[in-house]
Amino acid sequence: GHSGAGKTSFMAGLYKYLGESADGYGISAKKEHQKKQLGGMADALSQGKYPAGTDVQSQYEFSFTVNGEDLIPFNWIDYRGGILLSDSPDDSDMDKFMAAIQKADALVVFLDGQKLSQVGSRWNMEYDILISCIENSLTVNHQSWFPISFVITKCDLVPDNASFHGLGRFENLL
C-alpha cells in the first residue's frame, strides 16, 4: 500500500484485537520493545489517534497463538509507503522492499477505500506502481503457493453505497 493507506494502523489494530491473548486465538509479538510499541499504538488507536507514517522499514516478529501457546511464527514487514512514488534513484528502501517481497510467503496489499471510491484516473499511477510490485512478486519461484490478500482500508470514511471504482485497475489480479 501507499503512504497513508493504513498499513501500520492495521497492524496496530490487529495487535489490539488479537494481541497477547491467553484464551482463544491471538498473536504474540516476540520482541519486548515491539510489544510496548504495538501496545502504545493500539491504545492511541482506541482514542482515535493514528500512528505517524512509517519512515523506516521494520520487521515485526509474531506468532499466531491458540490459548496462549505459540503455533505459527510469522514476520510482518512494515515499510515506508512513500517508496512506491519515490523519485530518488538512490532510494535503497525500494531495493529492500522488492527483496522482501521476493522472499515473502504471502503478500497483504492495502488499498485506501477513499481513493478507490473516487471516480476518475487521479490515482492510476499509484495503482499501476502497486500492480507492478505485485506482478513482480508473482514472477518469483516461491516454495509453495503464494497467497495475496487485498485489504480495503478507511471504509468507515466512504459514503454509504459508494462504489470502489479504482478496483477496476486490479481486475487482472483479482
Side-chain angles (χ1 to χ4, degrees), residues 6-22:
K7 301 175 298 294
T8 303
S9 295
F10 182 88
M11 179 181 59
L14 183 70
Y15 187 76
K16 179 162 183 63
Y17 183 72
L18 293 174
E20 310 301 332
S21 176

Side-chain angles (χ1 to χ4, degrees), residues 85-125:
L85 294 174
S86 177
D87 297 354
S88 176
D90 62 345
D91 194 344
S92 65
D93 284 349
M94 184 54 121
D95 294 335
K96 289 180 198 172
F97 172 70
M98 292 310 295
I101 284 180
Q102 291 177 352
K103 290 191 290 184
D105 294 320
L107 192 61
V108 181
V109 179
F110 289 84
L111 302 172
D112 183 327
Q114 287 183 298
K115 290 179 181 179
L116 286 175
S117 68
Q118 294 176 11
V119 177
S121 60
R122 180 175 179 192
W123 307 110
N124 283 350
M125 186 174 85

Side-chain angles (χ1 to χ4, degrees), residues 9-76:
S9 295
F10 182 88
M11 179 181 59
L14 183 70
Y15 187 76
K16 179 162 183 63
Y17 183 72
L18 293 174
E20 310 301 332
S21 176
D23 297 320
Y25 297 101
I27 60 173
S28 174
K30 299 287 110 197
K31 293 183 177 177
E32 210 48 51
H33 73 281
Q34 289 180 342
K35 284 183 186 186
K36 289 179 185 174
Q37 180 186 25
L38 289 163
M41 283 191 293
D43 289 343
L45 270 178
S46 65
Q47 298 171 13
K49 298 175 187 164
Y50 293 90
T54 301
D55 56 359
V56 175
Q57 180 170 302
S58 301
Q59 179 170 300
Y60 292 81
E61 296 177 20
F62 291 106
S63 185
F64 282 115
T65 63
V66 176
N67 298 324
E69 303 256 346
D70 289 354
L71 187 63
I72 302 170
F74 70 98
N75 296 325
W76 180 285

Side-chain angles (χ1 to χ4, degrees), residues 25 42 57 69 79 113 129 136 146-147 160 163:
Y25 297 101
Q57 180 170 302
E69 303 256 346
Y79 67 91
I129 292 168
N136 188 321
F146 187 70
D160 289 343
S163 295

